[in-house]
Amino acid sequence: MKLLWFLLGIAAGFVLAHLVNKDPRGHEILAEVDARITEFTDRIGDAYREQEARFADIVDDVRDAAAEAAGTAAAAASDALDSAQTAARKLAD
């Protein structure tokens, strides 16, 4: 039953919009509403793309920091291994 009312509401909205669009004043009103909706969606799209760019920059910074930390850790581990091998050789001698 709710679906029927929903569909009837959509159909009535289309009929009403068609009738309003036939009148020159109604056509102007609908054109203004369409322009405002377009402006709103453009602003939302711009804001989304700006946030997406910010997040991409943050992700790139984190990726670079993680790669640097991994390189530093690998170098430290290599140095520790070299020190351990040198110490082991000295003990063996």
Side-chain angles (χ1 to χ4, degrees):
M1 188 63 167
K2 290 181 182 182
L3 179 62
L4 177 64
W5 282 111
F6 178 72
L7 293 176
L8 285 174
I10 289 175
F14 277 114
V15 169
L16 183 61
H18 180 70
L19 293 175
V20 169
N21 196 34
K22 282 186 176 182
D23 181 23
R25 293 174 297 175
H27 183 75
E28 289 177 21
I29 290 171
L30 289 177
E32 184 179 332
V33 168
D34 183 52
R36 287 184 180 190
I37 289 172
T38 301
E39 180 184 355
F40 175 76
T41 57
D42 289 346
R43 285 184 181 184
I44 294 295
D46 291 343
Y48 175 82
R49 285 183 286 282
E50 183 179 323
Q51 280 298 103
E52 187 178 37
R54 285 182 187 168
F55 286 139
D57 290 343
I58 290 170
V59 168
D60 289 343
D61 291 345
V62 169
R63 184 181 304 129
D64 292 344
E68 184 178 335
T72 301
S78 177
D79 290 345
L81 180 61
D82 290 343
S83 295
Q85 287 174 343
T86 301
R89 280 190 211 119
K90 284 182 181 179
L91 285 175
D93 290 339

